[in-house]
Amino acid sequence: MRLTFLLLLLVNFGCLASSCIVTDEMREQFNSKHSEKVTIDTTLRDSNFTVTIKLPESIEGQSSYSVWLISDSLEEPTFIFPLDLYEEGNQTMAWYEIDAGLVRKHFVVVSLNDYCAPSLFKEVFYQ
């Protein structure tokens, strides 16, 4: 019994931990540096808006994205909805359609699939 206890004391029970902190300042700098690379086009057809989001080939070497539609506020959203990505030509894109009567303040958030990178956010302007 003592021998087992001594062996357990000698075994290294290591633990790896990592954390990621993205400040508001880092997020704003990242957004101002890369937001022009994401384009949002809106088209009114009958009583619906079709919104198309075009993504760049890569942002800071990352070419894998997640795209989210957020309603009302980035801090306290009414809803968050993931958008599917598709390829058209060599362009990565996402889209959604909304009734003109349901238009409110919306944001498109583009997250890199690097868990520690800030996200890009752009407001959708329905015109």
Side-chain angles (χ1 to χ4, degrees):
M1 178 79 160
R2 289 184 195 172
L3 182 58
T4 304
F5 182 70
L6 287 174
L7 286 175
L8 285 174
L9 287 176
L10 294 175
V11 174
N12 181 10
F13 292 101
C15 176
L16 293 176
S18 64
S19 63
C20 177
I21 298 173
V22 177
T23 64
D24 288 341
E25 182 180 330
M26 291 168 61
R27 188 175 294 112
E28 290 293 333
Q29 287 176 351
F30 188 82
N31 203 61
S32 65
K33 182 178 178 183
H34 298 291
S35 67
E36 295 302 315
K37 296 175 183 176
V38 175
T39 59
I40 300 173
D41 297 319
T42 59
T43 305
L44 179 61
R45 217 174 289 154
D46 297 325
S47 64
N48 292 330
F49 279 101
T50 301
V51 180
T52 307
I53 301 108
K54 296 179 184 174
L55 304 168
E57 187 174 313
S58 69
I59 298 173
E60 294 193 357
Q62 296 285 323
S63 59
S64 184
Y65 309 109
S66 298
V67 179
W68 303 85
L69 176 63
I70 296 181
S71 181
D72 294 327
S73 165
L74 291 170
E75 293 80 26
E76 294 182 28
T78 303
F79 74 86
I80 300 172
F81 189 79
L83 299 176
D84 283 336
L85 299 177
Y86 66 96
E87 296 286 327
E88 188 172 289
N90 291 333
Q91 183 82 50
T92 302
M93 303 172 80
W95 73 277
Y96 67 93
E97 192 169 301
I98 187 169
D99 184 278
L102 298 175
V103 167
R104 52 197 323 158
K105 192 172 211 170
H106 289 121
F107 298 91
V108 169
V109 177
V110 178
S111 299
L112 303 179
N113 286 345
D114 173 2
Y115 81 97
C116 200
S119 296
L120 287 171
F121 52 91
K122 290 188 86 165
E123 186 172 352
V124 179
F125 296 104
Y126 297 97
Q127 301 176 17

